[in-house]
PDB file of all heavy atoms in Angstrom:
ATOM      1  N   VAL A  50      -5.302  -4.690  -3.577  1.00 98.00           N
ATOM      2  CA  VAL A  50      -5.061  -4.283  -2.187  1.00 98.00           C
ATOM      3  C   VAL A  50      -5.393  -5.431  -1.234  1.00 98.00           C
ATOM      4  O   VAL A  50      -6.470  -6.031  -1.334  1.00 98.00           O
ATOM      5  CB  VAL A  50      -5.930  -3.047  -1.835  1.00 98.00           C
ATOM      6  CG1 VAL A  50      -5.747  -2.657  -0.374  1.00 98.00           C
ATOM      7  CG2 VAL A  50      -5.554  -1.858  -2.735  1.00 98.00           C
ATOM      8  N   THR A  58     -11.045  -8.961  11.656  1.00 98.00           N
ATOM      9  CA  THR A  58     -12.391  -8.496  11.256  1.00 98.00           C
ATOM     10  C   THR A  58     -12.335  -7.077  10.692  1.00 98.00           C
ATOM     11  O   THR A  58     -13.050  -6.762   9.743  1.00 98.00           O
ATOM     12  CB  THR A  58     -13.377  -8.507  12.449  1.00 98.00           C
ATOM     13  OG1 THR A  58     -12.746  -7.854  13.539  1.00 98.00           O
ATOM     14  CG2 THR A  58     -13.763  -9.918  12.846  1.00 98.00           C
ATOM     15  N   VAL A  86       4.105  -1.569   0.717  1.00 98.00           N
ATOM     16  CA  VAL A  86       3.424  -1.863   1.983  1.00 98.00           C
ATOM     17  C   VAL A  86       3.175  -0.548   2.722  1.00 98.00           C
ATOM     18  O   VAL A  86       4.107   0.241   2.918  1.00 98.00           O
ATOM     19  CB  VAL A  86       4.272  -2.814   2.868  1.00 98.00           C
ATOM     20  CG1 VAL A  86       3.554  -3.113   4.175  1.00 98.00           C
ATOM     21  CG2 VAL A  86       4.591  -4.102   2.118  1.00 98.00           C
ATOM     22  N   TRP A  92       2.180   5.646  15.430  1.00 94.00           N
ATOM     23  CA  TRP A  92       3.624   5.899  15.373  1.00 94.00           C
ATOM     24  C   TRP A  92       4.383   4.967  16.316  1.00 94.00           C
ATOM     25  O   TRP A  92       5.360   4.347  15.939  1.00 94.00           O
ATOM     26  CB  TRP A  92       3.875   7.364  15.755  1.00 94.00           C
ATOM     27  CG  TRP A  92       5.230   7.866  15.395  1.00 94.00           C
ATOM     28  CD1 TRP A  92       5.625   8.366  14.188  1.00 94.00           C
ATOM     29  CD2 TRP A  92       6.368   7.931  16.248  1.00 94.00           C
ATOM     30  NE1 TRP A  92       6.944   8.733  14.239  1.00 94.00           N
ATOM     31  CE2 TRP A  92       7.419   8.481  15.488  1.00 94.00           C
ATOM     32  CE3 TRP A  92       6.617   7.583  17.573  1.00 94.00           C
ATOM     33  CZ2 TRP A  92       8.692   8.694  16.016  1.00 94.00           C
ATOM     34  CZ3 TRP A  92       7.884   7.790  18.092  1.00 94.00           C
ATOM     35  CH2 TRP A  92       8.901   8.335  17.313  1.00 94.00           C
ATOM     36  N   ALA A 126      -1.269  13.364  22.262  1.00 92.00           N
ATOM     37  CA  ALA A 126      -0.081  14.145  22.648  1.00 92.00           C
ATOM     38  C   ALA A 126       1.008  13.923  21.608  1.00 92.00           C
ATOM     39  O   ALA A 126       1.157  12.820  21.082  1.00 92.00           O
ATOM     40  CB  ALA A 126       0.409  13.679  24.019  1.00 92.00           C
ATOM     41  N   VAL A 127       1.759  14.984  21.336  1.00 93.00           N
ATOM     42  CA  VAL A 127       2.840  14.893  20.350  1.00 93.00           C
ATOM     43  C   VAL A 127       4.042  14.211  20.999  1.00 93.00           C
ATOM     44  O   VAL A 127       4.401  14.508  22.136  1.00 93.00           O
ATOM     45  CB  VAL A 127       3.214  16.306  19.849  1.00 93.00           C
ATOM     46  CG1 VAL A 127       4.418  16.251  18.918  1.00 93.00           C
ATOM     47  CG2 VAL A 127       2.022  16.940  19.126  1.00 93.00           C
ATOM     48  N   VAL A 148      14.990  -1.149   3.994  1.00 98.00           N
ATOM     49  CA  VAL A 148      13.602  -0.830   3.652  1.00 98.00           C
ATOM     50  C   VAL A 148      13.568   0.527   2.965  1.00 98.00           C
ATOM     51  O   VAL A 148      14.220   1.473   3.398  1.00 98.00           O
ATOM     52  CB  VAL A 148      12.718  -0.827   4.921  1.00 98.00           C
ATOM     53  CG1 VAL A 148      11.294  -0.413   4.577  1.00 98.00           C
ATOM     54  CG2 VAL A 148      12.734  -2.196   5.575  1.00 98.00           C
ATOM     55  N   LYS A 157      -3.448  14.557   5.654  1.00 98.00           N
ATOM     56  CA  LYS A 157      -4.905  14.768   5.579  1.00 98.00           C
ATOM     57  C   LYS A 157      -5.606  13.900   6.622  1.00 98.00           C
ATOM     58  O   LYS A 157      -5.173  12.778   6.897  1.00 98.00           O
ATOM     59  CB  LYS A 157      -5.437  14.345   4.189  1.00 98.00           C
ATOM     60  CG  LYS A 157      -4.754  15.032   3.018  1.00 98.00           C
ATOM     61  CD  LYS A 157      -5.500  16.281   2.605  1.00 98.00           C
ATOM     62  CE  LYS A 157      -4.874  16.938   1.400  1.00 98.00           C
ATOM     63  NZ  LYS A 157      -4.137  18.158   1.695  1.00 98.00           N
ATOM     64  N   TYR A 158      -6.702  14.425   7.146  1.00 97.00           N
ATOM     65  CA  TYR A 158      -7.557  13.603   7.996  1.00 97.00           C
ATOM     66  C   TYR A 158      -8.237  12.550   7.112  1.00 97.00           C
ATOM     67  O   TYR A 158      -8.455  12.800   5.907  1.00 97.00           O
ATOM     68  CB  TYR A 158      -8.602  14.454   8.698  1.00 97.00           C
ATOM     69  CG  TYR A 158      -8.019  15.338   9.770  1.00 97.00           C
ATOM     70  CD1 TYR A 158      -7.958  16.717   9.604  1.00 97.00           C
ATOM     71  CD2 TYR A 158      -7.510  14.785  10.947  1.00 97.00           C
ATOM     72  CE1 TYR A 158      -7.395  17.528  10.579  1.00 97.00           C
ATOM     73  CE2 TYR A 158      -6.945  15.592  11.925  1.00 97.00           C
ATOM     74  CZ  TYR A 158      -6.891  16.962  11.738  1.00 97.00           C
ATOM     75  OH  TYR A 158      -6.331  17.748  12.699  1.00 97.00           O
ATOM     76  N   ALA A 190       8.316   5.241  -7.821  1.00 98.00           N
ATOM     77  CA  ALA A 190       7.316   4.162  -7.862  1.00 98.00           C
ATOM     78  C   ALA A 190       6.042   4.546  -7.121  1.00 98.00           C
ATOM     79  O   ALA A 190       4.955   4.064  -7.461  1.00 98.00           O
ATOM     80  CB  ALA A 190       7.915   2.890  -7.257  1.00 98.00           C
ATOM     81  N   GLY A 207      13.899  15.051   0.616  1.00 98.00           N
ATOM     82  CA  GLY A 207      14.328  13.859   1.352  1.00 98.00           C
ATOM     83  C   GLY A 207      13.618  13.717   2.696  1.00 98.00           C
ATOM     84  O   GLY A 207      12.832  14.586   3.093  1.00 98.00           O
ATOM     85  N   LEU A 208      13.928  12.639   3.397  1.00 98.00           N
ATOM     86  CA  LEU A 208      13.282  12.392   4.699  1.00 98.00           C
ATOM     87  C   LEU A 208      13.627  13.488   5.709  1.00 98.00           C
ATOM     88  O   LEU A 208      12.836  13.784   6.604  1.00 98.00           O
ATOM     89  CB  LEU A 208      13.695  11.024   5.251  1.00 98.00           C
ATOM     90  CG  LEU A 208      13.257   9.792   4.436  1.00 98.00           C
ATOM     91  CD1 LEU A 208      13.739   8.512   5.099  1.00 98.00           C
ATOM     92  CD2 LEU A 208      11.738   9.764   4.249  1.00 98.00           C
TER      93      LEU A 208
END
Side-chain angles (χ1 to χ4, degrees):
V50 177
T58 49
V86 180
W92 196 84
V127 175
V148 177
K157 305 267 183 254
Y158 289 110
L208 296 180

